Amino acid sequence: MDWKECCDRRIVKTVSVDKAMINSLIKTSNKRLESEKRLALDETTAESKVSLAYDSVRELLEALALQNGFKVY
């Protein structure tokens, strides 16, 4: 799927830059990453560590998209 198709399907849309939202997403991302780092890696926590790291990266990508005037759904 290319960028035009994403726009046509409304998977992404143009929005105004929201600096407060961007800062909030970055803070939340950092908190999730810090939480992931504090968990010792073992059989019980492995899935949680991956989930926290994934969510941290996803929030940073969302902030980057917003910074460039896009909202991705």
Side-chain angles (χ1 to χ4, degrees):
M1 179 177 315
D2 65 11
W3 186 252
K4 182 177 179 341
E5 188 175 351
C6 288
C7 293
D8 291 345
R9 290 185 178 195
R10 297 185 178 218
I11 295 170
V12 64
K13 72 176 187 176
T14 305
V15 295
S16 58
V17 175
D18 184 345
K19 291 186 182 203
M21 178 61 80
I22 292 166
N23 289 334
S24 177
L25 285 164
I26 291 169
K27 283 181 185 178
T28 303
S29 172
N30 288 333
K31 287 179 183 180
R32 289 188 196 281
L33 189 58
E34 182 61 31
S35 296
E36 183 276 329
K37 288 179 182 178
R38 290 184 184 193
L39 282 175
L41 179 60
D42 62 34
E43 192 173 304
T44 303
T45 64
E47 186 176 333
S48 296
K49 286 179 69 73
V50 169
S51 180
L52 286 165
Y54 172 85
D55 287 342
S56 176
V57 170
R58 184 192 54 75
E59 286 170 335
L60 286 177
L61 290 171
E62 185 176 347
L64 181 62
L66 284 172
Q67 188 173 28
N68 287 285
F70 297 105
K71 175 71 178 161
V72 179
Y73 292 95

